[in-house]
Amino acid sequence: MALRTTAVGVVSATLIAGTTLGLAPAAQASTTAGVRFVDIAGDGGTILKANVITPAGAAGTRGFPLIVLPTSWGLPQVEYLTQAQKLANSGYLVVSYNVRGFWQSGGEIEVAGPPDVADASKVIDWALANTPADAQTVGMAGMSYGAGISLLAAAHDKRIKAVAALSGWADLIDSIYSGRTQHAQAAALLDGAGTLTGRPSAELQQVFKDFFSSNLSKEPDLIAWGKKRSPQTYVDQINANGAAIMLANGWGDTIFPPNQYVKFYEELTGPKRLEYRPGDHATAEVTGLFGLPNDVWTDTGRWFDHYLRGEDNGIDREQPVQLKSRSTGGYEGYPDWKSVGATRKKIALAGSTTIRANVDSGANGGVIFLSSILDQIAQLPPMASIPLLPRRWAAVWQSEKYASAQQVRGTAKLHTTVTATKESGTLVAYLYDVGPLGLGKLVSNAPYTFHGQTPGKPFGVDLELFSTAYDVPAGHRLALVVDTVDPLYIEHNPSGAQLTFSSPEHDPSYVSVPLRKQ
């Protein structure tokens, strides 16, 4: 209930801020400039509330490139009005619509299911029939929920030529169930926001119930449900259709962690671009909704200018992977993802260490939204005093002091051997930047859950931590900490469980840290 209350508060604050800071006034001020509110019949005749922003002087003409913007989870149809006006001023015809199940739109929340994908095509149909839009130049974009729907639509509708997916997902299961671990705060936020602003379907209510119940018999059904709603499942169709795909995300996204975009990006064969910046879910682009200067929306406009209007603005000649470090604030360009962490440095996890489960050691990933926003604004990630972490509940290994700065870029990987006293359990790995006084700043983390292991029998664990870009100053160390409880996740440690981490001679344990080429 506490998590649900927090979720409702976050969503309410977002909506109030939108009205106060300019979204609603923008709608009023733009009415004479080509904004009209319409009803569009979606899949099965479900009414979708939408707004249409037409370029000035468009009466009696045809041939404007079309951009369709599905709303984010829980936000109303005026969400994109400021950006839509900017796009219209640049010569685009923009249709933004409230996805089914939310606010005044009809239907129930389907979580980017087949009806949502079909709705996107219905909106395009409507725009081509009722506005001066060009059927040959259709694009889609959106934040969060709108991003996922846009990618799924590109797999099912060949008319879509370009997509900008901002803070979206490629793999829904790897987003909220990575490491076979429920991301509790993320799911609670989605559940609470959906209940507050929409009408969850009976299927969605059951999905959340099964998700939080930790009933393993329901796991195959949950995975199948998620795969149907994951653009990763349809990457071959997206490639066949040939849409130009731009992906943008935050390093600290606690709803859709950055890793799941990487695999999807690597499998795309058409024009593509991948951008990462500091911040949590949608916080890197949210200022653009209020009309403030914003790099993400600027690049979105450039992406459409090139791939819908054929403008030679150079975006196709830039390095396609663009990263902004959490430490330096500057942009770095790479030809592909494998070039991001060009070299790797291993930290040996020597010896044998046993920890007890069920207690939070003090090392954790922070609080959804709050922690990553603090990191984005003030470079203050979650912290822990590494020397004071209780070794009864936390295993700790440290590197040597680094003589020069270490630019961590990409995905750190943990390899270790675990022996458990119970058949199920959860561990959470954290990578810290440790200063001279022992204060650790969180670089990355990730959870891992196991089931069906034989008590007392060692087994291997390979875990990818969440991708990041972070500079470790000279004179600092890196530390790997492992414990069993984190408020971000649901843990599966039976009472009294213990975990032993070892490093067999034939299979040594280590954490592999990706570093930018110096």
Side-chain angles (χ1 to χ4, degrees), residues 217-281:
S217 68
K218 300 292 185 180
E219 186 181 50
D221 293 337
L222 287 171
I223 291 174
W225 178 87
K227 284 188 176 297
K228 183 186 293 185
R229 291 159 170 80
S230 296
Q232 180 72 55
T233 303
Y234 311 99
V235 66
D236 290 342
Q237 291 174 227
I238 294 175
N239 289 334
N241 290 345
I245 306 295
M246 172 181 154
L247 308 171
N249 202 2
W251 290 122
D253 195 321
T254 44
I255 306 292
F256 304 129
N259 298 42
Q260 43 92 35
Y261 254 1
V262 171
K263 180 182 177 183
F264 179 67
Y265 172 81
E266 290 182 313
E267 293 184 12
L268 291 172
T269 57
K272 58 184 179 179
R273 183 178 177 93
L274 178 65
E275 301 184 352
Y276 283 121
R277 296 173 177 84
D280 205 307
H281 184 63

Side-chain angles (χ1 to χ4, degrees), residues 366-399:
V367 178
I368 188 171
F369 280 123
L370 177 61
S371 298
S372 291
I373 290 175
L374 283 174
D375 186 40
Q376 176 184 357
I377 295 173
Q379 296 184 4
L380 291 174
M383 300 182 190
S385 174
I386 304 304
L388 296 181
L389 289 176
R391 272 35 177 190
R392 180 183 181 90
W393 296 299
V396 180
W397 299 267
Q398 295 192 75
S399 73

